[in-house]
Amino acid sequence: MLQNFIVSVLIFLFSGVFAIAFGQTAAVKPSVISGDVVAVSEKAIVLNVKTTQVEVGLTDKTEFKRVSPINPSLQVATAAALTDVAVGDKLMVTGILAADGKSIPARAVYLMTKSDISKKNAKEAEEWRTRGIAGKVLSVNSQTNQINLEIRGLTGSSNVMLTPKENAKFKRYAQDSVRFDEAKDSSLAEVKTGDMIRALGDKSTDGASFAAEQVVAGAFQTIAGTVKSVDASKNEVLITDLQTKKDVTVVIGDTSVLKRFPAEMAEGMARMQMMGAGGARPVGGAQPPQQPRPAPTVGQGQTPGGAGRPGMGGQRPGSGGLDDMLERLPGITAADLKAGDMIAISSTRNGSAARVKAIKLVAGVEPFLRLAQTGNGGRRGQGGVDAGFSIPGLDGIGFP
């Protein structure tokens, strides 16, 4: 969205309109900077621009324009004023940047308010929730331009055939990022078996096919392990991978989601997984679901499934999902973990088996790992998770 804003401004500037508006010649090429507002005063605005701060100098000749996040074209921008600017807003500023890069006398300020952006994001998130689908790529047919997806829930899974609409847009998540605005333009040719996909479009009445307008893909993994040590000052957790028996450093970033399953909730959901996989009837005599399909498991080096926001998954559009549940779980920090805890994390596959950045980190997962050890073919009592594991809501990536 902000990238489109930048492109619009550049087109506007170098099409000659800027020169007409400000009485400059075509030889003058103004600087264009963009960032988030961190301070506002009568004479200046301070912006966070990448890794530095820039002071935007204001005069009575500085022009203010408000740009809509929905339609970032400057041709439809409306008049604004300094009083409309608040901390957290996004600005695009034109002028001549100082040699040290720390100040710029503003000729024009283009404003996207935090409120407008939030409204747009909420609208888009709801659309992806109600018209979205997500799952793991089982196969890609380059002849028919179709993608066979596995859509999974807590107790079962189903297959959906995804067909891109004409002019469908493809994106691929950047390394170690689950931010849609950092995703790169992509194509169907880059989609691989095992990728996770989230798509926006129209699902058929029978739910067996999906016509996609937008597709975003990425390669992810899930890892479970026992905590060896915690460095809260560095936001790093050292674990022993339950499958490889090797140490892995888990880096917790600003966007990492850290949650803990309450013990009773985890036990109950693990029993539901066992029922869905054809396991024994749980204590209390409840009947298992009728005609369930086994829920797939995920292990080291495999890409995850999941559901909802902020992860990808397989809930029915509009029905909520496993990740909606995960978001409501108690939040934790690295300091809440201790040696001996069992945790599971999701991350992008970065080629390093020794150091990963957590998208999500979930504690209180022992019941799910016991299920992987005993109910799904693991070797009882040996501490391994040989057949993989599935942690509800853990796997995957976020809504665009």
Side-chain angles (χ1 to χ4, degrees):
M1 175 271 299
L2 187 57
Q3 291 174 335
N4 293 337
F5 184 27
I6 296 172
V7 171
S8 297
V9 171
L10 291 175
I11 293 174
F12 177 67
L13 293 179
F14 296 110
S15 65
V17 178
F18 181 90
I20 295 173
F22 294 99
Q24 303 297 318
T25 66
V28 177
K29 292 186 177 181
S31 306
V32 180
I33 66 169
S34 62
D36 298 329
V37 177
V38 295
V40 183
S41 67
E42 184 178 349
K43 295 296 184 180
I45 300 171
V46 180
L47 291 185
N48 265 342
V49 180
K50 295 183 179 179
T51 59
T52 188
Q53 290 190 348
V54 178
E55 182 176 284
V56 179
L58 306 175
T59 70
D60 56 0
K61 294 183 179 180
T62 301
E63 184 176 6
F64 290 84
K65 291 285 186 178
R66 186 165 181 166
V67 181
S68 168
I70 297 175
N71 181 6
S73 171
L74 297 184
Q75 302 301 325
V76 295
T78 58
L82 174 62
T83 53
D84 296 321
V85 181
V87 172
D89 291 345
K90 290 186 180 296
L91 298 187
M92 184 80 68
V93 178
T94 64
I96 305 299
L97 187 65
D100 62 5
K102 294 182 178 180
S103 63
I104 181 171
R107 294 173 174 174
V109 173
Y110 300 93
L111 162 69
M112 278 189 185
T113 69
K114 183 179 180 180
S115 174
D116 286 347
I117 294 171
S118 295
K119 290 176 182 177
K120 176 179 181 289
N121 290 344
K123 182 178 179 181
E124 289 183 347
E126 181 61 21
E127 185 176 24
W128 280 86
R129 189 185 304 277
T130 57
R131 297 186 60 231
I133 193 173
K136 184 170 73 172
V137 177
L138 297 179
S139 62
V140 181
N141 189 325
S142 57
Q143 280 72 42
T144 62
N145 286 338
Q146 291 181 310
I147 302 169
N148 186 15
L149 290 180
E150 178 183 64
I151 309 298
R152 58 185 282 183
L154 180 61
T155 59
S157 64
S158 60
N159 291 357
V160 173
M161 189 62 68
L162 183 150
T163 304
K165 294 182 180 181
E166 186 177 0
N167 299 322
K169 297 180 180 179
F170 282 79
K171 293 277 188 179
R172 192 165 187 88
Y173 283 90
Q175 188 68 55
D176 285 331
S177 172
V178 291
R179 291 173 56 95
F180 184 73
D181 58 1
E182 294 178 352
K184 309 299 182 183
D185 289 338
S186 186
S187 66
L188 178 66
E190 290 191 277
V191 178
K192 308 298 182 185
T193 298
D195 280 352
M196 288 304 301
I197 274 185
R198 182 173 288 281
L200 179 69
D202 301 309
K203 197 171 186 178
S204 63
T205 303
D206 62 5
S209 60
F210 190 87
E213 301 164 4
Q214 296 185 53
V215 178
V216 56
F220 300 86
Q221 65 183 352
T222 59
I223 301 171
T226 304
V227 175
K228 290 187 67 175
S229 62
V230 178
D231 189 333
S233 64
K234 293 183 177 180
N235 265 342
E236 293 183 356
V237 181
L238 182 65
I239 66 172
T240 299
D241 189 315
L242 292 179
Q243 290 185 304
T244 66
K245 311 302 181 191
K246 296 180 179 180
D247 288 350
V248 178
T249 299
V250 179
V251 180
I252 300 170
D254 293 339
T255 59
S256 300
V257 176
L258 279 68
K259 298 288 185 177
R260 184 187 298 277
F261 272 105
E264 290 186 4
M265 182 180 186
E267 291 285 356
M269 296 187 77
R271 286 197 297 269
M272 290 177 66
Q273 278 190 345
M274 182 177 294
M275 291 163 60
R281 183 181 303 177
V283 175
Q287 294 291 333
Q290 297 298 311
Q291 297 180 334
R293 294 186 60 180
T297 56
V298 181
Q300 176 73 21
Q302 295 174 286
T303 49
R309 181 181 179 276
M312 297 187 62
Q315 80 279 11
R316 296 185 305 276
S319 67
L322 298 178
D323 274 350
D324 293 319
M325 170 275 301
L326 188 69
E327 285 188 342
R328 294 189 290 270
L329 294 182
I332 60 174
T333 67
D336 294 317
L337 300 173
K338 62 182 184 301
D341 285 348
M342 297 185 79
I343 65 172
I345 67 107
S346 63
S347 71
T348 55
R349 289 189 289 179
N350 60 9
S352 172
R355 188 178 181 86
V356 298
K357 183 177 180 180
I359 298 171
K360 303 178 195 175
L361 182 155
V362 185
V365 297
E366 289 85 346
F368 303 105
L369 301 180
R370 286 200 304 268
L371 174 63
Q373 290 174 308
T374 62
N376 285 349
R379 294 196 297 267
R380 183 187 297 270
Q382 296 187 23
V385 187
D386 301 323
F389 59 93
S390 178
I391 310 296
L394 170 69
D395 309 325
I397 55 182
F399 276 132

